[in-house]
Amino acid sequence: MHTDPDYSAAYVVINTDSNVKGFGLTFTLGKGTDIVVCAVKALSGLVIGKSLQDIVGDFRGFYRLLSSDSQMRWLGPEKGVIHLATAAVLNAVWDLWARAEGKPLWKLLVDMDPKQIVSCIDFRYITDALTEEEALDILIKAQEGKRHREEQMLKQGYPAYTTSCAWLGYPDEQLKQLCRDALQSGWTKYKVKVGADLQDDIRRCRLIRDMIGPRNSLMIDANQRWDVSEAISWVSKLAEFRPLWIEEPTSPDDILGHAAISKALAPLGIGVATGEQCHNRVMFKQFLQASALQFVQIDSCRLGSVNENLAVMLMAHKFKVPVCPHAGGVGLCELVQHLILFDYICVSADLSNRMCEYVDHLHEHFTCPVLIENAHYMPPKSPGYSCEMVESSVLKHQYPDGEAWKTKIA
């Protein structure tokens, strides 16, 4: 579906009257990033001049200010380019807050009182699925054992799965070598891209399953390639390889289509995963209410930053659906690790069928890149949301004046 991505990001820096800065971003595939930047600039007037304390003292109100400006909401509301820009700005605000407190973002969240967490969430449009009182009750109940789970994460890390072994277009020998290397590094969960050619998918899934063995987990990802009936037929023919889920089988907006696919594949033991292009908490609410997905894939740069992801994680817990975040791209691994650590420590308290995506590229461009040990995300220790990019990378790749772009244009 995305045949020629040019991985990019709209990068936001918030300066303050102290020496503390906030860094944020949203991920894009190249063309159109300048449109997101224009949207960020349009939102900047709602941020410049405010104090950090005023923002975090009424974070729900500040979220609504950015997401529901009476004129700019016409461009969404809470979807598309304007919501990507909102995510970038809010990611920078959360990074600034965590830096000001001297904590990594996950730790900032873990140390918050449940009432303070709830105060960051905009419950508008989702109270038929999750009320403020229900969210508070979930968080209070999860206080039991919280410190033990935090210590567990610091020692063991959060389980990850790899997408790096089985992209479409890799020759067989490369697939085999990547699987061998991953197995030696302790990986037990693998995702295979599918959807271009059925016979090729059958061959590649057989190859990967033979390489990783019967006990390791296999997931498949179609990146929105099929209509509903085609998805059901295609995935049914891959059932012999026992995929845990089919990811993004059809249009990310088709909630009832996902529900039909989920119902048809349930007897085969195959779940449906989606969310990386789910616009907002309202769509996630409907996916959950319709039993249209069995794995929630939050994205740190698609939804309205931490605020909206908190709402989705709490709804997922109420509906007993595991959260398995989308990552990869530019900085998505760096950001989403914080969210999933919070989910385990303070919400779900459960690791069953839970994992976070990992793709091994572009981490060198961040000042605090992810640390993977034995196929687990190790909790970051540096203050902030892990959003800050290496200055030399910013200068080299900034559009259109960076050296990388000058060479490309030439």
Side-chain angles (χ1 to χ4, degrees):
M1 187 62 75
H2 308 113
T3 56
D4 59 343
D6 193 352
Y7 278 17
S8 306
Y11 185 52
V12 174
V13 181
I14 295 179
N15 295 292
T16 70
D17 57 5
S18 71
N19 60 355
V20 182
K21 296 183 179 182
F23 302 87
L25 58 84
T26 192
F27 169 59
T28 63
L29 293 186
K31 295 173 186 175
T33 311
D34 50 343
I35 303 173
V36 182
V37 170
C38 285
V40 169
K41 291 178 179 178
L43 291 171
S44 66
L46 302 174
V47 183
I48 294 172
K50 293 192 179 299
S51 74
L52 176 61
Q53 192 53 52
D54 286 345
I55 290 172
V56 302
D58 181 19
F59 218 148
R60 180 184 300 169
F62 184 72
Y63 173 88
R64 191 173 290 189
L65 176 71
L66 260 63
S67 63
S68 294
D69 176 85
S70 63
Q71 294 180 19
M72 284 187 284
R73 75 183 305 276
W74 191 259
L75 304 178
E78 296 181 89
K79 64 176 71 72
V81 167
I82 194 67
H83 212 42
L84 291 175
T86 300
V89 173
L90 285 170
N91 283 340
V93 172
W94 278 97
D95 181 67
L96 177 64
W97 188 11
R99 288 169 180 268
E101 296 294 330
K103 298 178 180 181
L105 180 94
W106 69 268
K107 180 63 171 169
L108 175 73
L109 293 171
V110 166
D111 288 348
M112 279 189 193
D113 179 87
K115 288 184 178 179
Q116 189 175 16
I117 292 287
V118 169
S119 74
C120 296
I121 300 170
D122 188 353
F123 287 87
R124 183 163 60 173
Y125 308 135
I126 64 170
T127 54
D128 55 322
L130 180 76
T131 66
E132 191 169 336
E133 293 73 23
E134 287 174 321
L136 183 59
D137 185 58
I138 290 170
L139 292 167
I140 290 173
K141 287 180 177 177
Q143 292 291 298
E144 183 179 351
K146 186 175 82 169
R147 292 305 165 199
H148 170 74
R149 292 190 295 275
E150 181 179 345
E151 292 172 3
Q152 177 191 2
M153 289 294 100
L154 288 168
K155 292 177 182 177
Q156 301 175 8
Y158 193 91
Y161 73 87
T162 178
T163 304
S164 299
C165 293
W167 295 95
L168 287 170
Y170 282 3
D172 287 1
E173 191 49 49
Q174 185 177 5
L175 291 175
K176 292 177 182 178
Q177 187 58 53
L178 289 169
C179 283
R180 281 192 289 265
D181 293 344
L183 287 164
Q184 290 177 0
S185 298
W187 291 94
T188 60
K189 304 172 179 67
Y190 298 78
K191 190 164 76 179
V192 180
K193 297 288 185 175
V194 298
D197 178 272
L198 177 57
Q199 293 307 312
D200 188 56
D201 287 348
I202 292 172
R203 183 186 59 79
R204 292 167 61 253
C205 285
R206 179 172 288 116
L207 185 154
I208 298 294
R209 175 53 81 189
D210 288 345
M211 289 293 300
I212 68 174
R215 294 187 178 181
N216 287 331
S217 298
L218 176 70
M219 293 77 69
I220 54 177
D221 181 1
N223 286 112
Q224 312 162 28
R225 284 295 292 258
W226 305 311
D227 280 3
V228 173
S229 58
E230 186 182 17
I232 295 169
S233 172
W234 197 301
V235 177
S236 296
K237 293 180 175 66
L238 300 177
E240 64 176 289
F241 307 111
R242 297 185 296 106
L244 178 64
W245 74 55
I246 172 61
E247 182 173 332
E248 287 201 308
T250 190
S251 165
D253 296 347
D254 190 354
I255 296 166
L256 295 182
H258 278 80
I261 295 168
S262 294
K263 184 177 181 180
L265 296 180
L268 301 175
I270 303 172
V272 170
T274 195
E276 70 182 79
Q277 289 201 315
C278 184
H279 295 302
N280 51 50
R281 66 196 181 282
V282 181
M283 284 192 66
F284 268 116
K285 176 192 75 170
Q286 295 179 34
F287 271 110
L288 291 164
Q289 288 173 325
S291 299
L293 80 178
Q294 288 70 53
F295 300 90
V296 166
Q297 294 183 307
I298 58 172
D299 184 284
S300 54
C301 295
R302 173 70 59 177
L303 295 178
S305 188
V306 177
N307 310 70
E308 195 164 31
N309 273 299
L310 289 171
V312 174
M313 288 186 285
L314 286 162
M315 282 194 291
H317 180 75
K318 180 183 174 181
F319 282 84
K320 296 180 172 58
V321 178
V323 175
C324 298
H326 168 247
V330 177
L332 299 184
C333 295
E334 276 70 21
L335 273 66
V336 83
Q337 61 179 331
H338 293 268
L339 302 181
I340 201 60
L341 285 165
F342 168 79
D343 179 68
Y344 174 63
I345 295 169
C346 294
V347 181
S348 72
D350 186 6
L351 293 177
S352 301
N353 273 342
R354 296 169 188 269
M355 62 196 88
C356 186
E357 184 172 22
Y358 176 72
V359 183
D360 189 14
H361 61 209
L362 303 178
H363 305 295
E364 68 274 13
H365 297 293
F366 289 85
T367 59
C368 298
V370 293
L371 175 62
I372 298 290
E373 291 183 1
N374 195 31
H376 285 67
Y377 277 91
M378 300 308 296
K381 297 180 179 179
S382 299
Y385 197 5
S386 305
C387 294
E388 184 181 4
M389 300 186 79
V390 175
E391 185 63 23
S392 59
S393 292
V394 174
L395 294 173
K396 181 178 180 181
H397 294 280
Q398 188 169 3
Y399 181 84
D401 299 322
E403 193 60 37
W405 284 105
K406 290 180 180 178
T407 304
K408 197 168 191 177
I409 293 168

